[in-house]
């Protein structure tokens, strides 16, 4: 299979649209879980909305961080597969280990673009962002364990080594205390339910893709997982604005309350005109001066 045929397969109609619709429906289910949890945990419209969007943004960041890492691994895999000759092949053969580190840096920049430009995550502070990204690392380790021990593919051992190096370098640094690291781990463990939701989401997409031959096993498990993340990100981009519009509508007061209260209805003018008009008060008559001459 050539590179053009390889790429064309993932964008054939209607499989592409059906896969995106499935991702959007699954995302609606995720929103429903977050809303039910927020509604049962908090009281008050503003608190419920804040908790809902906080959980949603944690889920977004989990997918963004995982998709960014899977993305650079998929690029590395595709170059190894399709670049087999030429000057670039010689350059790649000599420096691919160093270029892998460059790809890892690009993945971090891509993650920043997704959560700061594509969809701005406004409700997560720095500690929450760090904890969910650490959860994203655990999320990736689970995926690697699936590839290594269940899918039984040993071609990605080097990726796992580089990934663990990235994980250590990202969260363990010289001026970080052990107490800070434990606090970050404690916060990350609170995100485990969101990680399980993300893995279930990904598993359903993969199951659907493999059962319909939309995802082909010989195309590489890393590439298939990357395309699943890509569809989830597109679904997030679409549904995020729909949900935001829905909650903005909920915040508005009902139309009847917005209308000014009317004054009590007046009777028609015709009825007013038919009423008998009050007689003007008669002033006492003054005596006539001429008549006084008779006296």
């Amino acid at each position: 299979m050539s590179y053009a045929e390889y790429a064309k397969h993932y964008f054939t109609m209607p499989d592409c649209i059906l896969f995106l619709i499935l991702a959007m429906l699954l995302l609606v289910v995720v929103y429903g879980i977050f809303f039910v949890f927020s509604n049962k945990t908090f009281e008050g419209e503003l608190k419920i909305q804040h908790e809902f969007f906080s959980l949603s943004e944690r889920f977004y960041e989990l997918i963004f961080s995982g998709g960014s890492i899977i993305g650079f691994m998929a690029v590395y895999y595709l170059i190894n597969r399709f670049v087999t000759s030429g000057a670039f092949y010689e350059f790649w053969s000599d420096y691919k280990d160093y270029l892998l580190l460059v790809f890892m840096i690009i993945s971090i920049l891509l993650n920043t673009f997704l959560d700061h430009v594509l969809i701005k995550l406004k409700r997560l502070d720095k500690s929450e962002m760090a904890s969910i990204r650490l959860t994203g690392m655990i999320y990736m380790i689970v995926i690697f364990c699936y590839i290594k021990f269940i899918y039984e593919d040993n071609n990605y051992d080097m990726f796992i080594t580089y990934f663990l190096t990235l994980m250590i370098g990202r969260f363990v640094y010289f001026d970080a205390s052990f107490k800070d690291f434990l606090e970050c781990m404690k916060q990350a463990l609170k995100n485990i339910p969101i990680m399980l939701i993300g893995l279930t989401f990904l598993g359903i997409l993969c199951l659907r893709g493999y059962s319909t031959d939309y995802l082909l096993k010989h195309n590489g498990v890393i590439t298939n997982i990357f395309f699943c993340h890509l569809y989830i990100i597109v679904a997030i981009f679409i549904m995020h604005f729909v949900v935001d519009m829905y909650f903005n509508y909920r915040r508005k007061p009902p139309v009847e309350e917005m209308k000014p209260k009317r004054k009590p209805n007046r009777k028609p003018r015709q009825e007013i005109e038919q009423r008998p008009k009050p007689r003007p008060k008669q002033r006492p008559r003054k005596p006539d001066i001429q008549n006084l001459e008779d006296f």
Side-chain angles (χ1 to χ4, degrees):
M1 180 183 289
S2 64
Y3 176 75
E5 293 174 346
Y6 187 93
K8 184 179 179 181
H9 170 76
Y10 289 101
F11 297 100
T12 54
M13 298 293 180
D15 295 338
C16 177
I17 300 299
L18 293 176
F19 207 71
L20 177 60
I21 292 174
L22 176 61
M24 294 173 65
L25 291 176
L26 291 174
L27 186 59
V28 170
V29 174
V30 173
Y31 285 144
I33 295 172
F34 291 161
F35 182 77
V36 170
F37 175 80
S38 302
N39 200 22
K40 289 185 176 181
T41 308
F42 295 92
E43 295 182 357
E45 188 70 21
L46 293 179
K47 291 183 179 180
I48 292 173
Q49 290 183 22
H50 178 80
E51 181 65 15
F52 171 82
F53 281 111
S54 177
L55 294 172
S56 299
E57 290 184 1
R58 290 169 186 267
F59 179 78
Y60 297 164
E61 183 60 30
L62 179 71
I63 298 299
F64 292 162
S65 60
S68 300
I69 296 170
I70 289 289
F72 89 80
M73 293 173 59
V75 171
Y76 187 90
Y77 168 80
L78 292 175
I79 292 175
N80 272 335
R81 177 171 179 172
F82 290 104
V83 179
T84 58
S85 61
F88 183 75
Y89 173 74
E90 296 179 358
F91 174 78
W92 176 256
S93 299
D94 295 336
Y95 300 101
K96 62 181 180 180
D97 293 339
Y98 301 101
L99 292 175
L100 182 58
L101 293 175
V102 174
F103 287 166
M104 295 173 73
I105 296 173
I106 293 174
S107 72
I108 296 174
L109 297 177
L110 178 61
N111 191 2
T112 303
F113 170 79
L114 291 174
D115 57 26
H116 285 79
V117 178
L118 184 68
I119 297 178
K120 294 182 179 180
L121 306 184
K122 304 176 182 178
R123 292 170 177 83
L124 300 181
D125 56 26
K126 291 183 179 180
S127 62
E128 292 173 336
M129 187 73 75
S131 66
I132 193 63
R133 286 185 176 180
L134 181 57
T135 309
M137 295 294 183
I138 303 173
Y139 170 84
M140 288 302 306
I141 291 176
V142 174
I143 293 175
F144 284 138
C145 290
Y146 163 78
I147 296 173
K148 176 70 175 177
F149 301 107
I150 299 177
Y151 196 80
E152 296 182 353
D153 192 338
N154 299 323
N155 295 324
Y156 302 99
D157 291 347
M158 183 182 62
F159 288 135
I160 297 174
T161 303
Y162 276 102
F163 175 77
L164 292 176
T165 304
L166 174 65
M167 181 177 176
I168 295 172
R170 194 168 184 176
F171 291 99
V172 180
Y173 38 90
F174 290 107
D175 59 344
S177 64
F178 186 69
K179 183 179 178 180
D180 294 336
F181 179 75
L182 290 179
E183 183 64 26
C184 188
M185 287 295 298
K186 182 180 177 181
Q187 294 296 327
L189 292 176
K190 295 180 180 179
N191 298 319
I192 294 298
I194 297 177
M195 185 192 74
L196 295 177
I197 292 174
L199 290 172
T200 305
F201 196 139
L202 180 63
I204 295 174
L205 285 181
C206 289
L207 182 63
R208 171 64 181 175
Y210 285 125
S211 63
T212 59
D213 290 332
Y214 179 70
L215 301 178
L216 301 176
K217 291 185 178 180
H218 62 265
N219 282 357
V221 62
I222 282 293
T223 308
N224 291 327
I225 293 176
F226 166 69
F227 270 98
C228 288
H229 279 85
L230 185 61
Y231 276 101
I232 298 175
I233 291 173
V234 174
I236 287 173
F237 179 75
I238 296 172
M239 297 302 297
H240 170 74
F241 295 102
V242 175
V243 172
D244 196 39
M245 291 172 58
Y246 169 74
F247 277 104
N248 286 335
Y249 176 78
R250 283 173 60 95
R251 280 195 291 265
K252 292 180 181 179
V255 178
E256 294 181 357
E257 295 181 3
M258 295 176 63
K259 291 182 179 180
K261 295 183 179 180
R262 294 182 178 179
K263 295 181 179 180
N265 294 331
R266 296 181 178 179
K267 292 184 178 181
R269 185 174 181 182
Q270 186 176 2
E271 293 183 7
I272 298 175
E273 291 178 352
Q274 290 177 356
R275 288 180 181 178
K277 296 181 179 179
R279 294 180 181 181
K281 293 182 179 181
Q282 294 182 356
R283 297 179 180 179
R285 293 180 63 184
K286 294 181 179 181
D288 193 356
I289 297 177
Q290 294 179 357
N291 295 335
L292 292 175
E293 294 178 358
D294 298 336
F295 294 97

